[in-house]
Amino acid sequence: MVPDGLWERIEPLLPVQERNFRYPGRKRLPDRQVLCGILFVLYTAIPWEFLPQELGFGSGMTCWRRLAEWQEAGVWQRLHELLLAELHAADQLDWSKAVIDGSHVRAMKGGPKIGPSPVDRARTGSKHHVITDGTGIPLAISLTGGNRHDVTQLMPLIDAVPPVRGRVGRPRRRPKQIYADRAYDFDIYRERVRAKGITPHIARRGVAHGSGLGVHRWVVERTIALLHWFRRLRVRWEVRDDVHEAFMSLWPG
């Protein structure tokens, strides 16, 4: 079930569907029940068509369509921004630094944003890219093909961090520093990061391990491990990239 506190935050964000009173058709299943079905699929990784009808969450296709509909309406992004604002107001976000990393996932059915993985014997896959605050709270997340280099998402992820409200004054969206591993070791990107007013700390290729940056970077690795705790995200089953991205966006909420 969806906790009351979470539902109180989500309900105002959902698009209102006006019913056609002349040709009403079948009554639309309540959004809260459908959201329960979506979360059930996310937690169990059960195929949509096998969602048990006796649970009262509607059919798998109803849940799938509603998830895609809400993703297109920007519901999950607005929920993420709302939760970040609450954390910022409670002084629970560490803006002194951010950490970025990417991780490969197998894509079982193909679709957009896939590619041969260089770390999985060229099997078809996608990549999850995550930027977190200093404590591991996700600030932004993206999906690319499995053959895309991690560094290609460095600037897009920094730019994707939303303006975080919650306090008096201008919204916050830039950390003071950013930490990354050797995959991001390109001087041109260091310059671009500095141009944003952020100090880069990126491990150098060809240097022995033991840079000391691991004491900062481990939080994003933990966050990705939590993301992939959900088998629905650890393996990409969705052909449509927007539906998989909807699950990715819903996860931090």
Side-chain angles (χ1 to χ4, degrees), residues 9-243:
R9 292 170 172 84
I10 294 177
E11 186 178 22
L13 305 177
L14 300 177
V16 177
Q17 297 291 331
E18 298 293 340
R19 196 174 186 200
N20 188 324
F21 287 96
R22 187 174 181 183
Y23 303 104
R26 182 179 297 177
K27 189 175 181 181
R28 184 180 170 95
L29 199 68
D31 287 335
R32 188 168 185 174
Q33 290 176 229
V34 175
L35 180 57
C36 288
I38 292 170
L39 293 177
F40 185 86
V41 171
L42 173 61
Y43 273 87
T44 64
I46 191 173
W48 290 105
E49 60 271 23
F50 293 162
L51 182 65
Q53 294 289 297
E54 57 268 23
L55 294 176
F57 301 153
S59 70
M61 273 293 89
T62 296
C63 295
W64 183 91
R65 283 193 298 267
R66 207 76 63 92
L67 176 63
E69 171 190 317
W70 292 340
Q71 172 72 0
E72 184 179 1
V75 171
W76 310 126
Q77 179 61 31
R78 295 201 300 275
L79 174 62
H80 186 216
E81 293 175 12
L82 173 64
L83 296 176
L84 287 177
E86 291 184 7
L87 291 170
H88 187 43
D91 196 25
Q92 295 297 307
L93 288 179
D94 180 5
W95 290 103
S96 68
K97 59 186 175 183
V99 196
I100 189 171
D101 204 359
S103 181
H104 174 267
V105 295
R106 186 78 58 82
M108 303 304 293
K109 296 183 178 181
K113 298 183 181 178
I114 64 168
S117 171
V119 297
D120 192 20
R121 292 178 288 181
R123 291 176 178 171
T124 301
S126 297
K127 269 189 178 180
H128 293 157
H129 306 266
V130 183
I131 184 171
T132 74
D133 79 329
T135 64
I137 295 172
L139 300 174
I141 191 167
S142 69
L143 176 72
T144 68
N147 56 336
R148 291 293 299 276
H149 199 288
D150 285 353
V151 77
T152 62
Q153 292 301 295
L154 175 60
M155 302 313 298
L157 276 179
I158 290 176
D159 292 337
V161 176
V164 180
R165 296 170 173 81
R167 292 189 175 189
V168 176
R170 298 178 62 184
R172 185 73 184 266
R173 65 179 307 174
R174 292 283 182 265
K176 295 180 180 178
Q177 308 170 83
I178 189 165
Y179 289 83
D181 62 21
R182 290 170 174 78
Y184 302 85
D185 179 24
F186 294 88
D187 287 337
I188 187 173
Y189 284 98
R190 287 186 174 88
E191 295 172 5
R192 293 177 183 178
V193 170
R194 289 192 184 96
K196 296 280 186 181
I198 303 171
T199 302
H201 299 279
I202 302 173
R204 293 281 184 179
R205 292 192 300 271
V207 177
H209 288 274
S211 64
L213 298 182
V215 298
H216 302 282
R217 290 194 295 102
W218 70 272
V219 295
V220 73
E221 295 170 358
R222 180 190 60 185
T223 298
I224 291 175
L226 291 172
L227 173 74
H228 292 168
W229 182 86
F230 296 95
R231 188 165 178 265
R232 196 81 193 191
L233 293 172
R234 188 169 68 250
V235 178
R236 177 179 166 183
W237 295 97
E238 314 299 336
V239 174
R240 282 180 48 172
D241 55 318
D242 61 327
V243 176

